[in-house]
Amino acid sequence: AQTVTQSQPEMSVQEAETVTLSCTYDTSESDYYLFWYKQPPSRQMILVIRQEAYKQQNATENRFSVNFQKAAKSFSLKISDSQLGDAAMYFCAYRSAQGAQKLVFGQGTRLTINP
Amino acid sequence: DTGVSQDPRHKITKRGQNVTFRCDPISEHNRLYWYRQTLGQGPEFLTYFQNEAQLEKSRLLSDRFSAERPKGSFSTLEIQRTEQGDSAMYLCASSFWTLNTGELFFGEGSRLTVL
């Protein structure tokens, strides 16, 4: 079974600075997808960024980018120019390319933005 | 609003009572997922439907839990004889399954408190 581990329960960053959230995963599959989801307090989870395992190029979405290291099974999220609205729980998630395609989530990292 | 909607948003019940949650997915989405999230943890997969067929159930889904998706539209999750350990946020997500990424869209969740 696949597992996802986020070793940083909490992180904080000064507004306008850069922060990196860590994620590692374990799988024997070669074809899969990785995601970062953001869950603001009392609001629904929304997709931040997605990475296909077969792509070597790291995904970027505006201020959000990932460092995908397939051999190391590492998938970190970098948030540049942090904004107050970035404060939330961030979840790393794995999804197989086959079968149910259900998401397997990590434990989450609570990100605080200091003004 | 055309997102995933869940009802009720909050439910407080006494141990031993039955509760039912409803999820209305995005209309064209053919896959519907239920997750459970306890405080400070990532969501855990419970079950999913493709159209009206329930294709997979987690071992977390004890025989007190039942889910349905009649006619492949909305879904209900019923918990019978609730226990305090059932207290959690129950999240619904939907997607339009394709051979590609099939992003999951989440609702705001239904929070259950069992006294």
Side-chain angles (χ1 to χ4, degrees):
Chain A
Q2 295 82 21
T3 59
V4 177
T5 302
Q6 294 178 250
S7 59
Q8 305 156 318
E10 296 183 357
M11 292 282 284
S12 63
V13 64
Q14 291 295 126
E15 193 176 3
E17 297 294 309
T18 295
V19 64
T20 298
L21 307 184
S22 301
C23 173
T24 58
Y25 59 95
D26 188 27
T27 185
S28 58
E29 299 176 333
S30 59
D31 194 12
Y32 51 87
Y33 301 90
L34 295 166
F35 304 83
W36 280 98
Y37 276 85
K38 170 185 177 182
Q39 188 177 41
S42 301
R43 296 185 62 186
Q44 73 258 52
M45 203 168 307
I46 57 174
L47 179 66
V48 174
I49 198 166
R50 165 179 49 225
Q51 175 78 42
E52 291 87 346
Y54 63 85
K55 290 186 177 179
Q56 292 187 333
Q57 186 173 7
N58 289 325
T60 61
E61 287 288 342
N62 301 314
R63 298 182 296 107
F64 298 87
S65 62
V66 299
N67 183 4
F68 173 48
Q69 301 290 326
K70 190 172 184 179
K73 297 179 181 175
S74 169
F75 183 61
S76 61
L77 173 70
K78 185 171 81 172
I79 306 174
S80 303
D81 185 26
S82 297
Q83 301 175 0
L84 295 177
D86 295 333
M89 284 290 291
Y90 285 81
F91 292 97
C92 178
Y94 170 102
R95 202 195 81 198
S96 172
Q98 304 298 324
Q101 298 183 331
K102 58 184 182 283
L103 292 172
V104 177
F105 287 90
Q107 304 92 321
T109 296
R110 181 176 302 281
L111 179 63
T112 301
I113 311 297
N114 300 314
Chain B
D1 186 78
T2 57
V4 178
S5 63
Q6 293 188 243
D7 183 73
R9 295 289 311 282
H10 304 274
K11 178 71 176 179
I12 300 174
T13 191
K14 294 182 179 179
R15 187 178 57 185
Q17 298 295 305
N18 298 343
V19 297
T20 299
F21 301 114
R22 175 181 172 123
C23 171
D24 286 273
I26 294 171
S27 59
E28 64 268 25
H29 284 183
N30 54 2
R31 283 199 172 183
L32 186 148
Y33 300 78
W34 284 99
Y35 284 81
R36 180 172 69 187
Q37 184 178 22
T38 53
L39 200 61
Q41 298 297 316
E44 297 173 294
F45 170 77
L46 292 178
T47 188
Y48 91 101
F49 295 82
Q50 180 156 322
N51 301 313
E52 67 275 9
Q54 188 175 18
L55 296 186
E56 184 173 338
K57 294 192 291 185
S58 163
R59 57 183 172 79
L60 294 175
L61 213 65
S62 75
D63 56 7
R64 296 185 298 105
F65 288 70
S66 62
E68 296 182 341
R69 192 183 182 198
K71 302 178 183 177
S73 55
F74 71 92
S75 176
T76 58
L77 177 68
E78 181 183 17
I79 309 174
Q80 297 181 326
R81 305 182 303 281
T82 53
E83 302 173 355
Q84 289 185 327
D86 297 332
S87 295
M89 178 76 83
Y90 290 86
L91 298 173
C92 177
S94 70
S95 72
F96 183 71
W97 179 75
T98 67
L99 294 178
N100 297 316
T101 57
E103 177 186 344
L104 265 63
F105 293 82
F106 283 84
E108 296 190 27
S110 293
R111 182 172 295 283
L112 174 65
T113 302
V114 181
L115 302 176

